[in-house]
Amino acid sequence: QNGWAFLVDLTQVSGTLPPEYGAWGTVGEFTVTNTRVSGTLPVEYANWAWAGSFHLARTHLSGTMPPEYGNWQDCGSFVTTETKISGTFPVS
């Protein structure tokens, strides 16, 4: 399947993850690593039908994992390393 590739790595980017990205439909790769991004995971990302890989590492993200992410039809790789995200993995 095809989709957008969104990669932000090794930058001084800060702020929050925009909920508007939930309108993308599918995401081939969503990676935000080694940044100052903070806040919570937008529940709007549950609108993605498919996410090939979803990687969040070494950020200031926190909060709980939205259970709505279990609505994704497929997710090849899901990584949250060195974040303050808590909760249980969504069940599809």
Side-chain angles (χ1 to χ4, degrees):
Q1 294 180 341
N2 294 324
W4 293 97
F6 181 84
L7 306 161
V8 179
D9 186 26
L10 293 169
T11 69
Q12 298 296 315
V13 170
S14 61
T16 60
L17 295 174
E20 294 83 4
Y21 294 175
W24 286 351
T26 61
V27 177
E29 180 177 355
F30 189 88
T31 300
V32 178
T33 55
N34 301 298
T35 68
R36 295 180 178 177
V37 172
S38 61
T40 59
L41 296 174
V43 68
E44 291 84 357
Y45 294 4
N47 294 330
W48 297 340
W50 175 77
S53 64
F54 189 81
H55 297 170
L56 306 170
R58 293 172 294 287
T59 68
H60 298 278
L61 291 166
S62 61
T64 58
M65 185 84 60
E68 293 86 354
Y69 285 15
N71 294 337
W72 291 342
Q73 294 172 6
D74 188 20
C75 183
S77 175
F78 190 99
V79 177
T80 57
T81 304
E82 295 183 41
T83 67
K84 298 211 187 278
I85 296 170
S86 63
T88 58
F89 285 105
V91 177
S92 57

